[in-house]
Amino acid sequence: MFNLMRSKLSFGRMVEIATEMGMANPLFRCHEQAAKATTKIDGREYINFSTYDYLDINTHPEITEAVTETAMQFGTSAGASRLVGGERPQHRELERAIADFYDVDDAIVYVSGHATNVSTLGFLCGKKDVIFHDGLAHNSLVQGARLSGAQRFSYAHNDCDALERVLEEKRGDYRHAFIVTEGLFSMDGNIPDLPRIIALKKRYDCLLLVDEAHSLGILGPTGRGVREYFGIAPNDVDMWMSTLSKTLCGCGGFIAGSHELVDYLKYGSPGFVYSVGMPPVIASACLTALNILKREPERVHKLQAISQFFLRYAQEKGLDTGAAQGYAVVPIIIGNSWVTGFLSQALMGRGIYVMPISFPAVKEGTARLRFFISAAHTEEHVRKALDAVVEEIPNAAQIVKEYQDAHPNAQATA
Ligand SMILES: Cc1ncc(COP(=O)(O)O)c(C=O)c1O
């Protein structure tokens, strides 16, 4: 039964077709070292462009020391939901530190970033409400919107005119309204016009959630995210959301905002109330990572400089970087999913680990290699990778062409 169900999944189907075409499955590879700017697979070293370790903090000795101490005293499990099983000091310290970082009253941490969005939106919004979200909003935001039962309108990606039109037309029909966007878009690496979105949210009486999964630690002179990038007042956004799995090197997510909001979520949001508390060791790791970020803004500067270099170099080479602005996430858009897959495979053969992204994660025909850049990447890493991309595109295209010529009725066309 599950095999039949799996064959209906887009990812599953793609892997099957790719195997038929002679491509190795790029998914679920087992790495022999931590997720950093370089990695090792089957004894071979790769430049790694598939890690969220944006600020090169993962494996920092201070984190290892902090989690070791926490594990000795508190073990590795929170034991139960914090509501009934109680808290450990690391929970409160982390939430306080996040709230201070955002200059807002309070914060709540959940055990998963994905669950943070699903549970928060699912809980806060209801049938009489409406959610306006960016067309490229992350799956967790869309799932949360669906779960809530609220009416949902997706506006064209990063298009505030489209948002304004739909607000004008639809806002009046609903009780509460929410606008949902990201601080830096995870697939395109571009930044929303947050000042305009804030003006719209005020004009149309909406609440605003900004997901900073890829902007916390990345944007702004000290890594305080899209708020610092634009110089936005902290309370102009109702819910600052981020994952803890990226810059902060742990796992989980948070919502930072007013006391009233955080208390409401802590007593009601199902992903918090009915889920175990974050393991104290993870809270300890994230808190230590946050302290490192605050203390060492030079990591942010390094990341910004190498990301800008990446973007410039890619563009000089004539590669399509879409709307990317040169902050940590830069796609190289290839178009055809199969060419992108074979390209990723060829790059692996040249010691470069970067994942292909295709439908359903992005629109059909916009398959891409998504490069996550780390402060530890060097200009030499970037040159080596992008030179290889340019050289391998024709080879990958040729493999796909030959396959399609030999199998004119095959599904491998997108
Ligand atoms: C924008 C965005 N939000 C939420 C998530 C979910 O976070 P996590 O992977 O920490 O569960 C991700 C994950 O990549 C993301 O990119």
Side-chain angles (χ1 to χ4, degrees):
M1 178 179 81
F2 292 118
N3 272 345
L4 183 68
M5 288 158 89
R6 186 183 159 205
S7 71
K8 295 199 163 69
L9 284 178
S10 303
F11 279 131
R13 228 176 28 242
M14 287 200 67
V15 168
E16 248 168 56
I17 300 170
T19 309
E20 258 171 55
M21 294 172 77
M23 193 193 304
N25 184 351
L27 311 176
F28 299 110
R29 298 229 189 234
C30 187
H31 294 235
E32 287 140 26
Q33 63 188 44
K36 296 197 62 73
T38 57
T39 187
K40 197 183 271 183
I41 303 169
D42 292 333
R44 177 171 181 195
E45 182 149 316
Y46 294 85
I47 309 169
N48 185 11
F49 290 101
S50 281
T51 175
Y52 298 137
D53 185 27
Y54 294 130
L55 294 187
D56 189 30
I57 293 179
N58 197 17
T59 72
H60 195 293
E62 274 177 42
I63 297 184
T64 311
E65 199 182 314
V67 297
T68 308
E69 258 177 41
T70 304
M72 305 254 275
Q73 196 176 352
F74 295 98
T76 52
S77 168
S81 160
R82 285 166 59 189
L83 194 81
V84 289
E87 308 192 309
R88 303 296 176 274
Q90 294 78 11
H91 295 130
R92 300 232 170 131
E93 287 165 23
L94 177 60
E95 287 170 346
R96 189 65 260 145
I98 291 169
D100 290 346
F101 191 71
Y102 275 89
D103 269 329
V104 294
D105 293 347
D106 207 349
I108 169 176
V109 299
Y110 292 72
V111 284
S112 145
H114 194 278
T116 303
N117 282 334
V118 172
S119 191
T120 302
L121 288 174
F123 174 63
L124 290 181
C125 316
K127 281 203 178 71
K128 296 181 178 160
D129 302 328
V130 59
I131 299 175
F132 302 94
H133 66 78
D134 188 280
L136 286 190
H138 188 260
N139 173 278
S140 51
L141 296 164
V142 177
Q143 294 298 336
R146 283 204 180 121
L147 174 73
S148 72
Q151 183 59 253
R152 188 169 67 85
F153 295 103
S154 152
Y155 58 90
H157 172 55
N158 219 4
D159 181 343
C160 285
D161 291 336
L163 172 59
E164 186 163 6
R165 278 196 299 276
V166 70
L167 282 167
E168 180 65 40
E169 200 183 320
K170 304 288 183 188
R171 167 63 185 104
D173 299 342
Y174 299 91
R175 183 182 59 174
H176 303 308
F178 296 76
I179 301 175
V180 171
T181 187
E182 293 178 29
L184 178 80
F185 289 99
S186 64
M187 289 297 167
D188 283 20
N190 55 341
I191 302 168
D193 182 352
L194 201 52
R196 174 136 183 237
I197 295 176
I198 288 170
L200 289 173
K201 95 142 201 149
K202 288 181 178 169
R203 177 147 20 113
Y204 289 92
D205 185 25
C206 304
L207 293 163
L208 174 59
L209 183 150
V210 178
D211 179 335
E212 290 235 83
H214 300 274
S215 42
L216 165 61
I218 284 98
L219 296 182
T222 63
R224 280 173 158 73
V226 69
R227 173 170 73 94
E228 192 182 30
Y229 179 87
F230 284 116
I232 282 165
N235 294 315
D236 273 352
V237 169
D238 304 279
M239 287 161 271
W240 290 106
M241 181 275 164
S242 182
T243 65
L244 296 164
S245 58
K246 300 181 171 68
T247 295
L248 298 186
C249 294
C251 185
F254 66 80
I255 300 283
S258 68
H259 282 307
E260 200 190 349
L261 164 75
V262 170
D263 270 5
Y264 185 45
L265 292 174
K266 280 194 173 172
Y267 280 93
S269 182
F272 182 82
V273 172
Y274 300 102
S275 188
V276 71
M278 167 175 284
V281 282
I282 299 295
S284 201
C286 297
L287 179 62
T288 311
L290 184 58
N291 288 336
I292 295 170
L293 157 61
K294 286 194 290 196
R295 188 183 70 208
E296 298 174 13
E298 58 274 17
R299 289 176 185 271
V300 179
H301 307 155
K302 261 177 95 180
L303 173 68
Q304 292 175 352
I306 192 69
S307 302
Q308 292 292 326
F309 175 78
F310 186 104
L311 185 69
R312 267 198 319 275
Y313 195 74
Q315 289 174 346
E316 271 166 35
K317 291 269 156 188
L319 294 167
D320 179 359
T321 52
Q325 290 178 242
Y327 291 98
V329 180
V330 182
I332 301 291
I333 299 170
I334 305 297
N336 180 291
S337 302
W338 310 106
V339 174
T340 312
F342 278 106
L343 180 57
S344 163
Q345 176 168 288
L347 293 173
M348 242 192 124
R350 296 177 64 157
I352 297 146
Y353 185 79
V354 57
M355 283 295 101
I357 308 277
S358 51
F359 181 82
V362 292
K363 266 196 299 196
E364 205 74 82
T366 67
R368 66 212 40 209
L369 296 174
R370 181 170 52 161
F371 287 82
F372 290 125
I373 300 158
S374 156
H377 283 133
T378 62
E379 291 191 2
E380 196 193 331
H381 287 148
V382 171
R383 274 194 218 97
K384 184 173 170 194
L386 294 177
D387 290 349
V389 170
V390 171
E391 285 161 29
E392 295 294 344
I393 287 175
N395 302 334
Q398 183 61 23
I399 297 174
V400 176
K401 183 177 179 312
E402 279 169 17
Y403 181 85
Q404 286 170 344
D405 288 349
H407 304 81
N409 299 322
Q411 290 181 63
T413 50

